[in-house]
């Protein structure tokens, strides 16, 4: 059985990080290893008493099935616009000082960082809430897709919205599983 | 890259790219947005049920409602994208 996304599948991805940055917002899609210290440094500020950092790492299983590798692909120009719009909305809604959202593209080894969200605000409650909301909005809306490859075979395009197995990649045809 | 004269570009991602076994096509323009899925079905039999029924569509980075935007025409040089359910994080 062959798959259209075999183990040699190389996702289409930009060779360099794609970013959009202002003095208070930083969003980035990058093929490089994520740097949690640099996003923390971007958001921290003398006017903010709280900085919250979320690090999402890739899991080694889905529904007890061992995942051997993962790769992310994106519609990069649209995804950057969406991330910026999420960041802008949440910055204003929670009166944040700064916000950063960074997502990995391409191969992401199991256990490594795939997403970073950092927010800062004068007080901690707003920072906690804003961090969670930024993550949920990103998972819901950003035009980024995760391909999970299972040990011994097939690749699955995950879909966040239903939390199910998504679409199985096989012989150029898809079967819902 | 701009498509050939008289064509628009369509981009496929994730499950859509797997089904078509390619990441992009150039299709003849103009075409009514509401007939886009029918054209893709002709080219890739089975794609509507397996993939497109759960996908969104953008034209030049703006989401369109494929059922509601009745009068919308996809024009020469446009960039259309098929957006399957997303899975970041």
């Amino acid at each position: 059985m062959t798959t259209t996304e075999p183990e040699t599948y190389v996702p289409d991805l930009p060779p360099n990080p794609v970013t959009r940055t202002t003095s208070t917002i930083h969003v980035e899609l990058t093929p490089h290893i994520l740097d949690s210290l640099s996003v923390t440094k971007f958001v921290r500020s003398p006017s903010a008493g709280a900085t919250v950092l979320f690090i999402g790492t890739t899991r080694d299983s889905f529904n007890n099935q061992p995942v051997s590798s993962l790769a992310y692909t994106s519609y990069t120009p649209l995804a950057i616009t969406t991330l910026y719009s999420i960041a802008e909305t949440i910055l204003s809604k929670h009166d944040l000082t700064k916000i950063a959202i960074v997502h990995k593209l391409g191969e992401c080894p199991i256990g490594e960082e795939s997403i970073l969200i950092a927010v800062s605000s004068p007080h901690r409650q707003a920072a906690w809430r804003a961090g969670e909301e930024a993550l949920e909005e990103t998972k819901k809306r950003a035009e980024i897709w995760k391909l999970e490859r299972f040990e011994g075979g097939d690749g699955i395009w995950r879909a966040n919205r239903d939390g199910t197995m998504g679409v199985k990649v096989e012989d150029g045809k898809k079967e819902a599983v | 890259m701009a498509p050939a004269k008289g064509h628009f570009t369509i981009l496929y991602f994730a499950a859509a790219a797997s089904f078509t076994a390619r990441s992009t096509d150039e299709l003849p323009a103009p075409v009514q947005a509401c007939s886009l899925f029918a054209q893709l079905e002709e080219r890739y039999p089975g794609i509507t049920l397996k993939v497109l029924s759960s996908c969104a569509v953008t034209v030049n980075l703006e989401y369109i409602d494929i059922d509601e935007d009745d009068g919308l025409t996809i024009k020469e040089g446009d960039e259309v994208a098929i957006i399957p359910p997303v899975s970041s994080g």
Side-chain angles (χ1 to χ4, degrees), chain A residues 70-93:
Chain A
L70 290 135
Y72 291 95
T73 185
S74 81
Y75 186 10
T76 307
L78 185 56
I80 276 288
T81 303
T82 300
L83 290 179
Y84 191 87
S85 150
I86 291 168
E88 205 173 30
T89 301
I90 289 180
L91 183 84
S92 130
K93 177 177 171 186

Side-chain angles (χ1 to χ4, degrees), chain A residues 5 72 75 143-144 146 158, chain B residues 18 50 63 79 86-87 89:
Chain A
E5 319 295 8
Y72 291 95
Y75 186 10
E143 290 82 2
I144 298 169
K146 171 162 65 179
R158 175 75 50 225
Chain B
S18 295
K50 293 280 178 58
Y63 283 93
E79 179 176 284
V86 297
S87 49

Side-chain angles (χ1 to χ4, degrees), chain A residues 95-164:
Chain A
D95 285 322
L96 298 180
T97 309
K98 295 187 181 188
I99 180 169
I101 306 174
V102 179
H103 203 289
K104 179 93 167 71
L105 294 181
E107 292 297 325
C108 188
I110 301 292
E112 288 194 10
E113 289 87 344
S114 56
I115 184 168
L116 304 175
I117 291 181
V119 301
S120 61
S121 73
H123 302 290
R124 67 184 180 280
Q125 291 91 344
W128 283 123
R129 279 196 293 269
E132 181 174 23
E133 196 173 322
L135 177 67
E136 296 306 320
E137 281 297 302
T138 298
K139 289 183 74 103
K140 193 161 86 183
R141 289 175 51 200
E143 290 82 2
I144 298 169
W145 296 274
K146 171 162 65 179
L147 177 69
E148 291 181 344
R149 300 186 196 88
F150 292 92
E151 280 177 13
D154 299 322
I156 299 278
W157 289 106
R158 175 75 50 225
N160 283 343
R161 74 177 179 200
D162 50 23
T164 60

